[in-house]
């Protein structure tokens, strides 16, 4: 039986950015915010209603809608994949111009994570989303795995794109291992060249790439008063439904949505009494940074 609208979970999805470009023939010199189709359909496959959370600031901003309003209204948020994380977000200088990333999107994403963290709502990250979450809570990244990690795999192949795969080892005793009982290793897609270098305090690694051991899944330790935060470096939404070529994404999705449903029924108290948890206090920097572009 189909769920009623009121019974469906409302899941936020962070926006991707295409910044204003005077040379673009369509939407010339306009900032575009958008989502990738596969991840919306992945969430909708379990009956969730998906809402893109637009950045509320910028030169065309009007009204008083805030990210905190979305965090209060929605049941959880998924941090989208996409552009590199700017190395300055974790205290480094870009080693190459090609690795400069997207500072504007970083500030928006950090503010979005902060809003949902303060509201006590579940957060799930995919690819860039994992990296951004790690940075938000004090971790660092390899700007390029092949260049900086000894014996690093080729985690991104621009020709094969989502048909580039490798094995991951699942950490025994982790929540992820309980979602996939009896499975020690799994095959996943790999579409990234940056990755976790130093893990954020309070998090644990649930899966490692093999054999170079770059973190592929992380989760915040479930200590008292902490809301759900988990992420995968691979794209679970790119798994072909019914295929056995890569690990089935269903358990990961159901785990996140279960956390959202649980938080909806028994909401956690907000964390507004504990400021300074998110790196750089992004919410206070966001409006100024966007308006200065």
């Amino acid at each position: 039986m189909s769920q009623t609208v009121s019974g469906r979970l409302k899941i936020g999805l962070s926006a991707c950015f295409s910044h204003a470009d005077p040379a673009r023939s369509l939407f010339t010199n306009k900032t575009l915010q958008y989502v990738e189709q596969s991840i919306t359909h992945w969430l909708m496959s379990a009956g969730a209603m998906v809402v893109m959370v637009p950045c509320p600031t910028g030169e065309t901003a009007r009204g008083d809608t805030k990210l905190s309003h979305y965090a209060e209204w929605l049941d959880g948020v998924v941090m989208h994949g996409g552009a590199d994380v700017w190395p300055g977000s974790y205290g480094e200088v870009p080693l190459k111009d090609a690795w400069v990333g997207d500072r504007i999107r970083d500030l928006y994403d950090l503010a979005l994570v902060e809003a949902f963290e303060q509201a006590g709502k579940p957060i799930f990250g995919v690819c860039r989303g994992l990296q951004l979450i790690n940075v938000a809570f004090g971790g660092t990244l390899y700007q390029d795995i092949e260049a900086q990690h000894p014996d690093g795999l080729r985690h991104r192949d621009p020709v094969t794109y989502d048909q580039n795969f490798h094995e991951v080892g699942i950490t025994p005793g982790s929540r992820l291992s309980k979602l996939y009982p009896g499975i020690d290793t799994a095959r996943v897609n790999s579409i990234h060249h940056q990755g976790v270098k130093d893990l954020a305090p309070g998090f644990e690694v649930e899966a490692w790439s093999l054999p170079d051991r770059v973190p592929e899944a992380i989760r915040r330790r479930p200590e008292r008063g902490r809301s759900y935060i988990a992420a995968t470096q691979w794209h679970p939404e790119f798994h072909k439904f019914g295929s056995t070529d890569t690990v089935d994404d269903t358990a990961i999705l159901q785990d996140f949505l279960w956390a959202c449903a649980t938080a909806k029924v028994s909401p956690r108290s907000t964390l507004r009494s504990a400021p300074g948890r998110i790196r750089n206090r992004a919410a206070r920097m966001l409006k100024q940074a966007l308006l200065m572009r």
Side-chain angles (χ1 to χ4, degrees):
M1 182 179 294
S2 178
Q3 293 174 284
T4 63
V5 172
S6 62
R8 293 175 184 262
L9 292 169
K10 301 187 296 293
I11 304 300
L13 183 59
S14 66
C16 295
F17 285 58
S18 180
H19 297 295
D21 182 356
R24 188 169 56 218
S25 60
L26 187 64
F27 292 107
T28 304
N29 215 28
K30 301 297 182 183
T31 297
L32 307 182
Q33 298 180 38
Y34 64 95
V35 297
E36 191 277 323
Q37 177 174 275
S38 298
I39 198 163
T40 61
H41 287 175
W42 180 58
L43 293 164
M44 292 165 72
S45 72
M49 298 178 67
V50 184
V51 178
M52 187 187 82
V53 182
C55 180
T57 61
E59 61 183 13
T60 60
R62 300 183 184 184
D64 62 354
T65 302
K66 302 176 183 177
L67 295 178
S68 59
H69 295 152
Y70 279 96
E72 180 181 347
W73 174 54
L74 296 170
D75 299 312
V77 70
V78 174
M79 303 304 296
H80 214 287
D84 285 352
V85 175
W86 175 54
S89 293
Y90 47 95
E92 294 186 9
V93 175
L95 299 177
K96 286 187 178 181
D97 289 344
W99 303 339
V100 70
D102 189 339
R103 183 187 180 211
I104 301 303
R105 184 174 170 187
D106 286 3
L107 291 167
Y108 155 77
D109 278 346
L110 289 166
L112 187 58
V113 168
E114 182 170 50
F116 277 79
E117 157 75 352
Q118 289 189 344
K121 302 291 181 70
I123 301 169
F124 185 78
V126 172
C127 197
R128 170 194 162 88
L130 175 145
Q131 297 165 15
L132 189 285
I133 287 168
N134 186 60
V135 167
F137 289 92
T140 65
L141 304 177
Y142 291 110
Q143 292 187 35
D144 183 83
I145 294 171
E146 285 190 78
Q148 295 181 285
H149 188 286
D151 303 317
L153 294 174
R154 191 174 196 191
H155 287 257
R156 181 175 69 178
D157 186 325
V159 176
T160 59
Y161 189 57
D162 62 348
Q163 297 304 299
N164 185 46
F165 306 105
H166 64 65
E167 298 293 313
V168 297
I170 298 176
T171 303
S174 65
R175 172 66 179 170
L176 191 64
S177 72
K178 293 178 173 61
L179 297 178
Y180 294 96
I183 299 178
D184 299 323
T185 62
R187 190 169 186 249
V188 300
N189 58 59
S190 187
I191 317 170
H192 63 105
H193 78 104
Q194 297 189 323
V196 172
K197 181 169 62 176
D198 299 309
L199 185 66
F203 282 72
E204 55 192 8
V205 177
E206 295 199 305
W208 303 83
S209 60
L210 297 175
D212 60 353
R213 290 186 62 80
V214 175
E216 286 277 336
I218 65 173
R219 185 180 301 263
R220 185 159 67 170
R221 296 191 189 100
E223 297 174 7
R224 183 179 178 85
R226 286 184 167 182
S227 55
Y228 174 110
I229 302 179
T232 61
Q233 185 60 73
W234 68 89
H235 287 255
E237 75 277 15
F238 288 172
H239 169 76
K240 187 176 180 180
F241 180 71
S243 171
T244 58
D245 289 343
T246 56
V247 66
D248 188 347
D249 58 270
T250 305
I252 294 171
L253 176 59
Q254 292 296 340
D255 183 61
F256 168 63
L257 295 180
W258 173 85
C260 293
T262 301
K264 184 176 182 178
V265 174
S266 303
R268 296 176 182 269
S269 59
T270 62
L271 303 176
R272 297 185 189 280
S273 60
R277 298 175 65 90
I278 305 296
R279 187 192 291 265
N280 292 337
R281 296 300 293 162
R284 294 193 308 210
M285 298 169 61
L286 181 62
K287 184 174 183 179
Q288 180 182 4
L290 288 174
L291 291 175
M292 287 175 62
R293 284 191 74 241

